[in-house]
Amino acid sequence: MPTLYGHAMSRAHRNLWLLRELGIPFDHVPTDFLHGGNKAPDFLLLNPNGKVPVLTDGDLVLYESLAINLYLARRYGTKLAPADAAEDGLAMQWSLWVATEVEKTLFVACENLFFFPEAHRRQDEADLALRKLDRPFRVLDAHLRQRAFLLGDRFTVADINVASVMSLVPVAGVDVSAYPDMAEWLGRCLARPAADDWKTIAFTVPRPPTEAAWMQSLM
Ligand SMILES: N[C@@H](CCC(=O)N[C@@H](CS)C(=O)NCC(=O)O)C(=O)O
């Protein structure tokens, strides 16, 4: 049985979402990343990067949240998994696309709108990041104008990987009305029962006790 390490208020949420969609039994160890659980020696043996999430499944130890989802979909998925090599390529394309073209920039916007303590937020940094997101958001919007989900007419791991990264959009109150098909798809994905706790999670992000620790946790 797979074991997922990582508090639900972290990128582990992506994997919890997928595991719940799969409906398979799994163990969950809610390793915390704000108060040092991710730096404990036994956790570092699983992920020397000191980051959550990590998945173990038999002898396999896997980190990187989006890779974990691609693995789980292939290993246990039926309808969520890519159906053939072409869909496999497309699921990887969208997962790498969201990790490289969207995640970091969206994170910078969110840090400056929401995550950083108020004194450290810079509106100009947030505005610049949001301007940079216009290009990938237009690409995604145009893609979804032609189809209901990223790989076509069915919901797959590719939707979970992209929508879970983009769940920061409503958290930070980013205006995406210029991308109506993307916004509609994102709302539809995040409203799925298996993802539903993202709202509670997003709005109860725990704050470390001091401003210095808060900043450190985001580095
Ligand atoms: N690219 C990694 C990023 C993992 C990551 O940064 N996790 C955060 C929590 S969401 C973490 O563990 N931060 C603690 C730290 O950086 O010390 C993934 O997608 O799994």
Side-chain angles (χ1 to χ4, degrees):
M1 173 155 64
T3 299
L4 183 74
Y5 295 79
H7 200 283
M9 286 181 229
S10 76
R11 286 170 173 87
H13 180 258
R14 301 163 182 185
N15 310 121
L16 291 169
W17 177 2
L18 186 116
L19 283 159
R20 288 190 292 248
E21 295 274 2
L22 291 174
I24 58 167
F26 64 96
D27 283 327
H28 180 213
V29 180
T31 309
D32 131 85
F33 70 99
L34 291 176
H35 304 93
N38 56 321
K39 302 285 164 57
D42 53 345
F43 184 78
L44 289 173
L45 290 176
L46 296 176
N47 185 357
N49 295 288
K51 296 190 176 204
V52 293
V54 172
L55 183 89
T56 59
D57 194 16
D59 289 338
L60 177 69
V61 180
L62 203 57
Y63 49 77
E64 284 302 324
S65 55
L66 302 180
I68 291 171
N69 275 355
L70 290 167
Y71 163 75
L72 285 170
R74 178 176 293 197
R75 171 74 179 80
Y76 296 102
T78 46
K79 52 191 194 331
L80 282 183
D84 52 28
E87 280 200 2
D88 213 20
L90 289 168
M92 267 187 283
Q93 170 197 285
W94 284 110
S95 302
L96 292 169
W97 176 85
V98 80
T100 55
E101 304 292 329
V102 175
E103 187 170 38
K104 181 67 193 166
T105 312
L106 184 55
F107 213 80
V108 169
C110 290
E111 282 169 342
N112 286 286
L113 291 169
F114 178 78
F115 287 146
F116 280 165
E118 237 168 292
H120 294 261
R121 293 179 201 165
R122 288 189 40 194
Q123 189 61 43
D124 58 334
E125 292 281 347
D127 291 342
L128 180 62
L130 293 174
R131 279 207 300 282
K132 286 185 186 166
L133 287 169
D134 176 60
R135 192 196 316 197
F137 282 5
R138 273 192 288 118
V139 168
L140 185 55
D141 191 51
H143 185 74
L144 290 164
R145 205 161 303 139
Q146 322 288 334
R147 44 187 80 65
F149 295 105
L150 289 177
L151 300 193
D153 59 6
R154 72 184 213 288
F155 178 80
T156 67
V157 60
D159 297 286
I160 297 183
N161 277 359
V162 176
S164 59
V165 169
M166 297 199 34
S167 62
L168 286 175
V169 162
V171 172
V174 175
D175 177 12
V176 286
S177 55
Y179 320 98
D181 292 286
M182 181 189 90
E184 192 274 331
W185 161 86
L186 183 59
R188 214 163 2 105
C189 290
L190 295 177
R192 292 176 71 87
D196 208 30
D197 59 346
W198 74 273
K199 296 186 205 87
T200 335
I201 287 164
F203 289 103
T204 55
V205 175
R207 302 300 194 201
T210 64
E211 203 166 288
W214 187 351
M215 292 302 287
Q216 185 58 38
S217 75
L218 291 162
M219 293 302 135

